Amino acid sequence: MSAFDHNHLRLRVEQAAAGISRNALPPALVADAIAAGTGTLTADGALSVRTGAFTGRSPKDKFIVRDALTESRVWWENSAAMAPAQFDALIEDAMAHLAGRHVHRQDLLAGADPAHQYAVTVMTQSAWHALFIRNLLIRPGEVPRGSEAAEVTIIHVPEFQADPARHGTRTGTAIALDMSRNIVVIAGTLYAGEIKKSVFSLFNFHAPDAGVLPMHCSANVGPQGDTALFFGLSGTGKTTLSNDPARPLIGDDEHGWSEGGVFNLEGGCYAKTVRLSAEAEPEIFAATRRFATVLENVVLDGDRHVPDFDDVSLTENTRAAYPLSVLPSVAAGGIGGVPKTVVFLTADAFGVLPPIARLTPEQAVYHFLSGYTAKVAGTERGITEPQATFSACFGAPFMPLHPSVYGEMLAERLEESGAATWLLNTGWTGGGYGVGRRIDIATTRRLLSAALSGELEGVPARQDERFGFAVPRSVAGVDGRLLDPSRTWESEAAYDEAADRLAGLFRQNFVKFGAQANAAAGPRLAQAAE
């Protein structure tokens, strides 16, 4: 971990600032945002904000400092490099930008397990961004602080434009991480998700050295103490499906799996709100009506200031950021035991994967490394409709190391725990995107409940001829036709063509992992003679 003097860096920012607010509470931050004209209160007291041109992450503008620590360890095919001198210039220019301005400082924690913890200080010119990160990380006093918590400093200057010639950036936007000193500079974007994901990226780099598997997943715990993990990219249902009144939530997005069990990296939720309803997602809907919840790019209904979650005129990537404490059922301390069940979520845009399938440990690692889903509209700039994509470990943009590092750790954890692993498709059936329909959430919840309860143990299953995994032949309360996607298509030939295409894409994608990866656990193309 870093031995850099973070206190000196923070002091420099404070001494140059016109004023400093240290660990301001939500009422003060809400008032400051409103006074600055950057936020508006909804009818229920949430803070509505806009992020301008950036309504999603900018992965092509993310950089890692290339130095002695990162040179041979970072997966450079997935990460853009920045020279140490360019990063130092960026820090100095960012701090110069803050000089003479009012700065909001928040001192927070990342990591509910004191043995694997980060002391994160965020310094920003924006009150609503300070509120956002206070909602999402762990507030002081919520969990014990570890005696050796690693220091992290994030300099957040959304109105500052980086200089490509001076800073080595692509544009005026930069999310730059120095892994050796645990410093982050975020410039040229108002999208608040960049702050939380920069913390996750630091964790993903350092955690394996401490024997911890970093995971882009949600987690909850059942009545018998049975922990379940839900992997998946944005929009696949991590937050929605892990919010279950009968299963207290450990966390909705970022976790670590140590030998002792699972712990949450965060203290809040960053939930998608597009087409949110009280009927389908009551816990999340209620959270959007709490004072100081931050609503990103949610359109308000006229003078009433009531959120219109069906209005996607700004983006489909509308979000709500709120503390875990506002939810009705949360696991104490943000920790859970060794997982009993692992669920991989995918939104299959081709409409050929079954709604649920049991994976062998080898298949689990294969699908973990593949990370197949549909990239949901609005999650990244330029994405206007779902597109098939592969994102290693269900979160490649946040994985600085080669996916094989995380894959090998998952294989070890699955072997040690004996956890059952399921692939749950929350995407399309009866045809691909634009032809078929999205699998309804009630069906998905029924299938998930059957997997978590052990109901599917011993249920007769068929082996999928292309993908090799085991698909239950029947599940109480679920239309049997849905379990065999080929039966939901009007044309069997069209289904076969789409399924062969997807199987081919899996195989093509997996080539990049090299001969050491277990490609045999993946799909096999159907032979024409068959």
Side-chain angles (χ1 to χ4, degrees):
M1 289 295 182
S2 170
F4 178 75
D5 187 351
H6 286 265
N7 287 330
H8 177 68
L9 176 64
R10 298 162 186 168
L11 183 61
R12 286 185 59 198
V13 174
E14 291 191 4
Q15 289 176 335
I20 183 78
S21 296
R22 296 184 185 89
N23 299 313
L25 298 178
L29 294 172
V30 168
D32 286 349
I34 293 172
T38 58
T40 303
L41 278 182
T42 70
D44 298 302
L47 185 67
S48 173
V49 300
R50 302 285 178 90
T51 64
F54 293 82
T55 58
R57 291 180 293 102
S58 298
K60 293 182 180 179
D61 295 310
K62 181 179 176 182
F63 300 86
I64 294 176
V65 174
R66 192 166 194 157
D67 58 17
L69 176 66
T70 61
E71 173 69 37
S72 60
R73 300 182 62 194
V74 166
W75 181 26
W76 293 111
E77 292 85 351
N78 187 58
S79 303
M82 178 178 284
Q86 292 171 324
F87 184 79
D88 288 344
L90 182 61
I91 293 177
E92 293 299 322
D93 293 346
M95 291 195 298
H97 174 80
L98 289 176
R101 301 172 187 267
H102 190 90
V103 172
H104 298 271
R105 170 174 172 166
Q106 288 288 321
D107 300 301
L108 305 161
L109 294 175
D113 183 347
H116 305 287
Q117 204 170 65
Y118 297 77
V120 181
T121 293
V122 178
M123 309 189 83
T124 177
Q125 65 193 84
S126 167
W128 81 257
H129 285 91
L131 176 61
F132 169 90
I133 200 62
R134 184 179 180 86
N135 281 352
L136 286 183
L137 292 186
I138 300 171
R139 276 72 52 189
E142 290 186 334
V143 301
R145 172 168 171 161
S147 59
E148 299 183 3
E151 296 287 340
V152 174
T153 300
I154 299 176
I155 307 296
H156 181 253
V157 283
E159 295 179 5
F160 172 73
Q161 293 292 308
D163 180 354
R166 176 171 166 80
H167 305 128
T169 58
R170 189 178 66 94
T171 66
T173 301
I175 302 93
L177 299 92
D178 184 329
M179 302 296 189
S180 297
R181 296 181 290 180
N182 286 343
I183 307 172
V184 179
V185 177
I186 299 174
T189 172
L190 287 167
Y191 183 65
E194 301 287 14
I195 309 175
K196 83 178 225 90
K197 287 305 183 188
S198 67
V199 176
F200 189 43
S201 295
L202 287 169
F203 178 64
N204 288 334
F205 180 83
H206 293 297
D209 286 343
V212 174
L213 171 62
M215 304 177 295
H216 185 214
C217 72
S218 58
N220 64 24
V221 58
Q224 307 304 317
D226 51 306
T227 298
L229 305 179
F230 302 79
F231 287 87
L233 294 178
S234 174
T236 57
K238 292 197 316 298
T239 299
T240 299
L241 295 172
S242 57
N243 272 273
D244 182 341
R247 298 181 61 89
L249 184 70
I250 299 172
D252 89 318
D253 197 41
E254 301 167 359
H255 292 81
W257 185 350
S258 67
E259 290 185 357
V262 171
F263 61 91
N264 191 3
L265 191 66
E266 300 180 300
C269 296
Y270 191 37
K272 287 179 71 70
T273 61
V274 59
R275 289 175 282 279
L276 180 68
S277 71
E279 294 73 27
E281 300 170 281
E283 294 82 12
I284 298 174
F285 186 85
T288 67
R289 304 180 70 180
R290 298 274 186 159
F291 173 73
T293 287
V294 176
L295 298 182
E296 260 188 352
N297 299 313
V298 174
V299 176
L300 302 185
D301 181 12
D303 295 334
R304 298 188 304 145
H305 281 213
V306 174
D308 183 353
F309 297 118
D310 293 326
D311 189 330
V312 294
S313 57
L314 295 177
T315 177
E316 288 204 10
N317 192 35
T318 54
R319 297 272 185 166
Y322 49 88
L324 278 168
S325 58
V326 309
L327 297 175
S329 182
V330 179
I335 57 175
V338 174
K340 178 182 177 181
T341 308
V342 175
V343 179
F344 294 149
L345 296 164
T346 182
D348 175 28
F350 287 82
V352 299
L353 292 182
I356 192 168
R358 178 74 178 260
L359 304 177
T360 66
E362 295 76 17
Q363 290 170 342
V365 174
Y366 180 94
H367 282 273
F368 177 69
L369 291 177
S370 297
Y372 167 69
T373 190
K375 196 171 286 184
V376 180
T379 303
E380 291 182 9
R381 298 179 70 201
I383 303 298
T384 57
E385 63 180 31
Q387 295 180 3
T389 188
F390 293 90
S391 185
C393 310
F394 293 98
F398 326 120
M399 302 295 172
L401 308 180
H402 193 276
S404 61
V405 174
Y406 309 111
E408 289 171 6
M409 293 191 75
L410 177 65
E412 293 171 1
R413 291 287 185 263
L414 291 178
E415 181 179 2
E416 294 166 357
S417 66
T421 309
W422 298 88
L423 181 67
L424 198 67
N425 175 25
T426 62
W428 284 259
T429 188
Y433 172 77
V435 176
R437 62 176 176 84
R438 193 92 189 244
I439 298 171
D440 65 274
I441 193 169
T443 296
T444 297
R445 289 190 187 278
R446 170 81 272 273
L447 292 167
L448 176 61
S449 175
L452 294 177
S453 67
E455 176 186 331
L456 299 183
E457 296 294 335
V459 170
R462 65 175 178 85
Q463 185 178 32
D464 189 278
E465 63 179 9
R466 288 179 180 81
F467 296 93
F469 40 53
V471 182
R473 292 190 178 276
S474 64
V475 179
V478 176
D479 183 352
R481 294 176 67 252
L482 190 64
L483 297 171
D484 184 353
S486 65
R487 297 172 60 192
T488 67
W489 284 55
E490 291 186 3
S491 167
E492 185 175 346
Y495 169 82
D496 287 339
E497 181 180 356
D500 283 344
R501 181 185 174 198
L502 180 58
L505 289 173
F506 264 97
R507 292 165 64 90
Q508 179 182 340
N509 170 73
F510 209 73
V511 169
K512 66 175 178 282
F513 296 119
Q516 72 274 20
N518 186 14
R524 48 189 178 274
L525 291 170
Q527 299 298 315
E530 297 175 349

